[in-house]
Amino acid sequence: MKKILSVAVLSTVMLTGCTLSHFGKGIIKVNNHVITQSEFNNTLNKEINNSMFKAFGGADNFVKSDDNIMYLIYKEKVSSELIVRALLESEVEKRGIKLTDEDIKNEMKSIIDKVGSKEELNKMLKQRGISNDEFNKDLKTQIKMKKLIESIEKISISDAETLKYYNEHKDQFKHEEQVRASHILISVDTLQLIQDMKKKNKDISPEELNNKLEQIATEKKAKAEAVLKEVKANPDKFEEIAQKESEDRASGERGGELGFFARKTMVPEFSNVAFAMKPNTISDLVKSPYGYHIIKVTDRVEAGVTPYAKAKDEIKFFMETEAQMKVLKNLTDGLMKTAKIEYLDSSFNPENINKQAVKINKERNNKSNGEDK
């Protein structure tokens, strides 16, 4: 539940977004507000970099073309988000909602209390690639949204409601045995290596291929052993070494952090070692299909059910957030009915996006049918 809470805290911030700028080519006009191409690009990149595509290079490697069906999906989603933000920003101004230094101080304290500490908050931000400036801007917008909600409806969740939720959703509070770990990976992906070598030399012989694989495997193991030696000599610098050496770049950027996970989440070679370790210990080299791992276990949780006393505050926060989002949705639905929305760039019109998506799918189906014949 704490993990859900942590995500909820940041998702509330991230959903609100930053105050909209007024520079660049206009693509959508919402009443008197113009959404620019640069706003769209920045928001799109942020969405992609916080998605599964981060593992494939994120926004830098994502094909941003109307010929890419995934781009069209993001295009419609991000456009809709920007329209909603523009409507809500206008409503904040219309109602004369202002921020004070005390508002910001109290909200920051509330978030730090919920995630545990300022250090934990900074770690979460780092894991999600959010800078302090970006977070502070989003925090101010979040406060505006809360004040906007309060101007419409006072939300209060009672102890009786949280207890009722707990009793009706007991399965949500069950958890398997879990460990929290970080790792440093020196990758030895044999299949990928073979594909890469055949791409460079399609006529490579099986013998030459095998020799090269053995050479690379030997070099990788030597590198892994050198990194392990460095880690054992400087265990307090595990995160720093992971950032520099780990070939799992997604976790490497976070100092190797993998978070809490159940035994079945990881490959057996990894899980068997991690679950046999005590907190604050570092493993020797662990070989898996992905390569060589150096594992650091930092915490563990036995299987069981989180008691109501520990879950109460988190349930209350979740229910309050859910109620707040419902108020915002109802407000947004009403504002959308009266909003004047002009697509200055017709390619952002949802109708045209859907037509392009249908066209791409039709071309794919025709190509697939042609290949089957």
Side-chain angles (χ1 to χ4, degrees), residues 297-314:
V297 169
T298 54
D299 200 358
R300 67 186 307 129
V301 177
E302 299 302 325
V305 179
T306 304
Y308 171 70
K310 285 189 176 182
K312 177 183 171 182
D313 289 344
E314 296 170 4

Side-chain angles (χ1 to χ4, degrees), residues 37-59:
Q37 181 73 53
S38 62
E39 290 171 50
F40 172 82
N41 292 342
N42 291 337
T43 308
L44 173 68
N45 289 343
K46 188 175 179 179
E47 292 257 356
I48 293 171
N49 287 333
N50 281 299
S51 73
M52 63 179 181
F53 291 104
K54 183 176 182 179
F56 303 98

Side-chain angles (χ1 to χ4, degrees), residues 1 157-170 173-175 304-317 319:
M1 189 68 181
I157 305 297
S158 68
D159 289 350
E161 288 174 298
T162 58
L163 179 59
K164 182 173 184 288
Y165 183 94
Y166 180 82
N167 289 331
E168 292 178 353
H169 300 84
K170 279 281 181 68
F173 303 95
K174 292 179 181 178
H175 54 81
V305 179
T306 304
Y308 171 70
K310 285 189 176 182
K312 177 183 171 182
D313 289 344
E314 296 170 4
I315 296 171
K316 186 175 182 179
F317 173 78
M319 295 181 73

Side-chain angles (χ1 to χ4, degrees), residues 140-167:
K140 292 175 182 178
T141 307
Q142 175 179 322
I143 299 169
K144 288 182 185 178
M145 293 301 110
K146 283 191 172 182
K147 287 195 164 193
L148 176 59
I149 292 166
E150 288 170 3
S151 72
I152 299 169
E153 181 181 334
K154 299 292 183 183
I155 295 172
S156 178
I157 305 297
S158 68
D159 289 350
E161 288 174 298
T162 58
L163 179 59
K164 182 173 184 288
Y165 183 94
Y166 180 82
N167 289 331

Side-chain angles (χ1 to χ4, degrees), residues 19-278:
T19 302
L20 302 175
S21 62
H22 300 276
F23 301 98
K25 173 192 170 186
I27 56 173
I28 305 171
K29 188 175 182 182
V30 184
N31 295 326
N32 295 320
H33 180 94
V34 175
I35 297 170
T36 66
Q37 181 73 53
S38 62
E39 290 171 50
F40 172 82
N41 292 342
N42 291 337
T43 308
L44 173 68
N45 289 343
K46 188 175 179 179
E47 292 257 356
I48 293 171
N49 287 333
N50 281 299
S51 73
M52 63 179 181
F53 291 104
K54 183 176 182 179
F56 303 98
D60 291 338
N61 290 343
F62 189 85
V63 179
K64 298 165 187 174
S65 164
D66 283 348
D67 293 327
N68 177 6
I69 195 72
M70 285 307 302
Y71 173 74
L72 292 177
I73 292 171
Y74 272 106
K75 189 173 187 177
E76 184 169 17
K77 180 177 183 289
V78 170
S79 299
S80 298
E81 287 177 1
L82 289 173
I83 289 170
V84 169
R85 290 180 190 176
L87 289 171
L88 293 176
E89 285 280 352
S90 296
E91 191 66 16
V92 165
E93 292 178 16
K94 179 181 174 183
R95 293 172 183 253
I97 293 171
K98 306 291 183 184
L99 294 186
T100 67
D101 290 341
E102 192 67 18
D103 289 331
I104 297 169
K105 181 180 177 182
N106 290 338
E107 188 66 19
M108 180 64 81
K109 182 179 184 303
S110 175
I111 290 176
I112 289 174
D113 287 345
K114 287 183 173 71
V115 300
S117 67
K118 189 172 183 179
E119 290 71 25
E120 187 67 23
L121 174 61
N122 288 335
K123 187 181 291 186
M124 289 169 60
L125 294 176
K126 187 176 181 180
Q127 288 174 357
R128 289 161 178 78
I130 303 170
S131 68
N132 286 330
D133 286 345
E134 196 176 5
F135 174 75
N136 289 332
K137 288 178 182 178
D138 287 352
L139 180 67
K140 292 175 182 178
T141 307
Q142 175 179 322
I143 299 169
K144 288 182 185 178
M145 293 301 110
K146 283 191 172 182
K147 287 195 164 193
L148 176 59
I149 292 166
E150 288 170 3
S151 72
I152 299 169
E153 181 181 334
K154 299 292 183 183
I155 295 172
S156 178
I157 305 297
S158 68
D159 289 350
E161 288 174 298
T162 58
L163 179 59
K164 182 173 184 288
Y165 183 94
Y166 180 82
N167 289 331
E168 292 178 353
H169 300 84
K170 279 281 181 68
D171 286 347
Q172 289 185 11
F173 303 95
K174 292 179 181 178
H175 54 81
E176 299 177 48
E177 180 189 14
Q178 295 182 323
V179 298
R180 182 178 184 179
S182 303
H183 82 145
I184 297 171
L185 172 68
I186 304 303
S187 176
V188 189
D189 188 334
T190 304
L191 181 60
Q192 186 63 50
L193 289 171
I194 291 172
Q195 290 175 344
D196 290 343
M197 283 188 277
K198 284 187 174 181
K199 191 179 293 183
K200 290 179 182 178
N201 180 8
K202 63 180 180 180
D203 297 322
I204 190 170
S205 68
E207 183 180 0
E208 187 178 359
L209 184 64
N210 188 56
N211 289 338
K212 282 186 175 293
L213 285 174
E214 287 183 1
Q215 179 187 345
I216 292 172
T218 300
E219 291 170 354
K220 289 282 189 175
K221 185 176 182 181
K223 180 181 178 180
E225 288 172 341
V227 174
L228 176 64
K229 185 176 179 180
E230 184 181 2
V231 169
K232 293 286 189 177
N234 304 279
D236 293 340
K237 293 186 177 181
F238 187 96
E239 291 187 4
E240 182 182 325
I241 297 170
Q243 290 173 340
K244 182 178 67 174
E245 301 289 357
S246 182
E247 293 174 9
D248 174 2
R249 294 315 308 157
S251 69
E253 290 174 4
R254 306 189 297 268
E257 175 69 52
L258 297 170
F260 279 98
F261 55 87
R263 184 181 291 271
K264 62 185 178 184
T265 305
M266 303 294 184
V267 292
E269 296 89 341
F270 190 100
S271 285
N272 290 341
V273 174
F275 278 82
M277 293 170 63
K278 295 179 180 179

